[in-house]
Amino acid sequence: MTAAASSDADLIAAHAAGDPHAFSELVRRHRDRMWAVALRTLRDPEEAADALQEAFISAFRAAASFRAESQVTTWLHRIVVNACLDRMRRRQTRPTVPLPEAGPGEPVAPRDAMSERETRLVVQAALNELPEEQRAPIVLVDVEGYSVAETAQLLGIAEGTVKSRCARGRAKLAKVLGHLRNQSADANVPVTDVQVQQGRQLEER
């Protein structure tokens, strides 16, 4: 079986056994998604790149201790998120760098591309205004699609804390993104915005 045909778990095992190519294949598979998580969390491409490098180095060293109690992608996400949170705690305040309109692995859909691009920029700007403790769970739950339980595990906090931080973050986002609720049903509004709207409805109950 070639590396490309191997499962993620097989690649981890092969890397731990000394295969010099297995981990590179794992990185190739998941680099773009991990980069997107780091970029959304840190907002700064330079910081995100450094965090991602640190995360993959940590994963490379810790692969031998991986236990198949969770998916390899969940394990990688946990390492990337932890690297981002570490950099958040360490970094000094400095000007942020605008996010690119479309990151790796996030091609712009051909239909109504300009509208989608503008919506993404508005949503990202709103996310950037959230406190770090609220932005991380919002990114994981509403953008990456992780469950509350998985997010709690990734961030090392209680599920109730994830729910409360997401609720507060969604309420803040709803105030900024309320105008998106008036878009037509044909508009390509990202899942994030739909979930923000749902969060606002829950807050109002």
Side-chain angles (χ1 to χ4, degrees):
M1 179 181 294
T2 64
S6 300
S7 69
D8 289 346
D10 289 339
L11 290 173
I12 286 287
H15 168 66
D19 186 329
H21 306 295
F23 194 80
S24 295
E25 171 63 19
L26 197 68
V27 170
R28 186 194 66 77
R29 288 183 185 181
H30 302 294
R31 178 182 56 237
D32 286 352
R33 187 175 182 187
M34 298 302 150
W35 163 251
V37 170
L39 188 58
R40 288 191 180 106
T41 303
L42 289 169
R43 302 179 293 172
D44 183 330
E46 182 179 346
E47 288 280 326
D50 289 344
L52 191 62
Q53 182 178 11
E54 292 172 0
F56 279 131
I57 290 173
S58 295
F60 182 90
R61 294 171 176 170
S65 62
F66 173 75
R67 299 291 179 266
E69 297 172 354
S70 63
Q71 295 292 323
V72 172
T73 51
T74 300
W75 176 71
L76 285 174
H77 266 77
R78 184 183 302 115
I79 294 174
V80 171
V81 169
N82 284 338
C84 290
L85 295 177
D86 285 344
R87 294 195 73 84
M88 283 181 180
R89 288 188 286 264
R90 296 198 309 260
R91 72 183 180 182
Q92 297 177 347
T93 303
R94 62 185 181 182
T96 58
V97 178
L99 288 170
E101 293 180 351
E106 299 179 1
V108 177
R111 186 166 69 91
D112 200 12
M114 182 63 70
S115 176
E116 290 184 9
R117 184 183 304 115
E118 292 175 352
T119 299
R120 279 199 302 274
L121 291 174
V122 170
V123 172
Q124 185 63 61
L127 282 171
N128 291 350
E129 295 300 316
L130 292 178
E132 292 173 353
E133 67 173 14
Q134 293 173 12
R135 187 170 66 250
I138 285 284
V139 167
L140 289 172
V141 174
D142 289 347
V143 179
E144 293 300 316
Y146 280 88
S147 68
V148 169
E150 290 169 333
T151 299
Q153 183 180 21
L154 285 168
L155 297 179
I157 58 179
E159 292 183 24
T161 303
V162 172
K163 292 178 181 178
S164 64
R165 290 180 181 178
C166 282
R168 290 197 297 271
R170 287 168 185 154
K172 293 177 181 178
L173 289 174
K175 293 178 182 178
V176 179
L177 302 175
H179 64 283
L180 294 176
R181 302 178 69 179
N182 298 323
Q183 292 187 0
S184 68
D186 294 331
N188 293 327
V189 179
V191 173
T192 303
D193 305 317
V194 175
Q195 292 171 320
V196 167
Q197 295 163 17
Q198 294 173 341
R200 184 178 186 181
Q201 293 169 357
L202 290 174
E203 285 290 302
E204 293 173 348
R205 291 178 181 173

